[in-house]
Amino acid sequence: MPELKHRAAALGTAALISLSLAACGSDYPLGPAQESAAQQGSSLSGTLTGAGASSQNAAMDAWVAGFGLLHTDAQVQYSPDGSGAGRTAFLAGAVDFAGSDAYLNDEELERSRKICGPDGAFDVPAYISPIAVAFNLPGITELNLDAETIARIFQGEIKSWDDPAVAQHNPGVELPDLPVTPVNRSEDSGTTETFTEYLHAVVPDIWTAEPSDTWPSEFAGENAQGTTGVVSMVAGTKGAVTYADDSAVGAPLGKASLKVGDGFVPVSAEAAATALDQAKQVEGRPAHDLALELDRATTAAGAYPLMLVSYHIYCTTYEDQSKVDLVKAFGHYVLSPEGQDDAAQSAKSAPLSEDLAQRAADSIDRISARS
């Protein structure tokens, strides 16, 4: 019975997709690939549904628009309900693919065999973005913070912005005597998992809670749903601070530079890409599953290790060839130089390296039809 309710909820998510998003971008600028497709025409048609990470939303808008120009009779619909909700919907068979800031765990991989066939599902990186530690301190747009200070802020131990722990890294900055209000995500979120994984990796003696997509219940604070929710709450609350995809953070919020090695590194797509260079493929996975293990404690010069690799999760097999054609076409577009550039311009993300993009494309090429 619980399983039926779980599936019903997931199916409800899929139903909302058609109401919440539609293919858009009629005024999107044509690139070479889109111009060529527009001239030659495309036989691809049908609707592809996805749900998941809200961090991908700005990039997804660009991908949906660009893909729509390539294939005018095909439509992609994506509902940014959060990584956990996206994986739940996908594993219930309610959507064709999921966007997730966390790769499928071993239990989820096993469950995916029920809807994806004996080889199950697989993860490919699609979107790389730094996570900003964003704050609302009038007149201050930049701060230097180390992992220990960030951990103590979100544990509620540092209660005022003029605390010596903050001041020691920010000489010359006039810090206000203003209460610190940490804001976390209220729903299961891959961004939360990224943030807690970073703190646990760098200062495990201080942040003892295990990494999780659910915010640790022992650390009380304000909370809001989705990337937009936490950013909006911080923007409306002086002294508030949160963690959010950098693409969603703008004025009036400031951003922290992270202590890496002997220096402080500002948040940027380039610094996130430098950190990604230290990543390795998760051991024990099939070769085509590109789940990545990041070195959160790297001291590499210019690296910004508080960054997420957001994945697209696909089945290895789908029911019919028409769906396979849609999935492959969209997957390849996202990984293409045009798709990655669209995301970078729209969401300030870091493009995948040529090697990683090719490995992901090879994985997508393995998708086939069950009938």
Side-chain angles (χ1 to χ4, degrees):
M1 201 60 178
E3 183 177 345
L4 290 175
K5 290 181 179 179
H6 196 60
R7 178 173 174 81
L11 290 170
T13 297
L16 286 173
I17 291 174
S18 61
L19 297 175
S20 61
L21 282 175
C24 59
S26 58
D27 60 347
Y28 200 79
L30 289 175
Q34 290 92 331
E35 287 180 353
S36 174
Q39 293 168 1
Q40 298 176 14
S42 169
S43 61
L44 199 67
S45 63
T47 299
L48 190 67
T49 60
S54 60
S55 61
Q56 291 188 25
N57 203 31
M60 189 62 72
D61 285 346
W63 289 329
V64 167
F67 186 74
L69 288 170
L70 281 168
H71 308 285
T72 55
D73 291 329
Q75 185 180 42
V76 179
Q77 297 175 333
Y78 183 79
S79 187
D81 302 321
S83 295
R87 294 196 305 276
T88 296
F90 174 77
L91 292 171
V95 292
D96 300 316
F97 74 97
S100 178
D101 297 340
Y103 54 78
L104 293 172
N105 61 35
D106 291 343
E107 186 270 335
E108 289 171 326
L109 276 177
E110 184 61 33
R111 285 171 53 197
S112 72
R113 299 178 192 276
K114 295 181 180 180
I115 63 158
C116 294
D119 290 332
F122 65 97
D123 311 91
V124 293
Y127 174 80
I128 301 166
S129 180
I131 301 299
V133 178
F135 53 84
N136 184 347
L137 295 176
I140 299 176
T141 58
E142 299 177 3
L143 284 178
N144 292 330
L145 296 175
D146 63 359
E148 177 178 347
T149 303
I150 294 170
R152 295 192 186 283
I153 283 174
F154 281 88
Q155 287 174 344
E157 296 178 17
I158 294 177
K159 301 183 181 299
S160 176
W161 281 104
D162 60 357
D163 189 286
V166 179
Q168 68 174 328
H169 298 303
N170 296 279
V173 178
E174 190 172 340
L175 295 167
D177 179 12
L178 190 67
V180 176
T181 304
V183 179
N184 61 266
R185 293 279 287 270
S186 60
E187 82 283 17
D188 292 353
S189 164
T191 309
T192 295
E193 183 163 2
T194 295
F195 185 65
T196 57
E197 181 182 285
Y198 163 75
L199 293 176
H200 189 67
V202 182
V203 285
D205 293 339
I206 297 170
W207 191 273
T208 57
E210 290 293 325
S212 174
D213 59 5
T214 303
W215 185 254
S217 59
E218 62 267 36
F219 303 140
E222 300 296 327
N223 62 74
Q225 184 167 0
T227 301
T228 302
V230 295
V231 170
S232 296
M233 178 173 286
V234 173
T237 309
K238 291 181 180 179
V241 57
T242 193
Y243 53 92
D245 188 273
D246 186 47
S247 66
V249 179
L253 303 187
K255 304 176 186 180
S257 295
L258 298 186
K259 180 75 177 296
V260 178
D262 296 326
F264 289 90
V265 179
V267 57
S268 73
E270 293 76 18
T274 299
L276 185 67
D277 289 342
Q278 321 301 316
K280 298 179 180 179
Q281 193 168 349
V282 174
E283 293 183 0
R285 297 287 181 119
H288 63 280
D289 186 280
L290 298 184
L292 298 174
E293 184 175 349
L294 304 175
D295 182 3
R296 300 292 187 189
T298 182
T299 58
Y304 187 91
L306 178 51
M307 43 83 70
L308 64 80
V309 177
S310 201
Y311 298 87
H312 284 176
I313 301 170
Y314 300 108
C315 283
T316 50
T317 63
Y318 288 86
E319 290 185 359
D320 55 67
Q321 189 61 44
S322 62
K323 185 66 71 175
V324 169
D325 292 342
L326 270 172
V327 170
K328 282 187 172 183
F330 180 68
H332 280 300
Y333 171 71
V334 167
L335 297 169
S336 70
E338 293 87 355
Q340 288 293 296
D341 185 60
D342 288 347
Q345 292 187 39
S346 177
K348 299 189 292 185
S349 58
L352 299 176
S353 69
E354 184 177 344
D355 176 68
L356 186 56
Q358 184 58 58
R359 289 163 59 199
D362 291 343
S363 295
I364 288 174
D365 279 336
R366 297 178 77 259
I367 298 172
S368 62
R370 291 195 285 273
S371 59

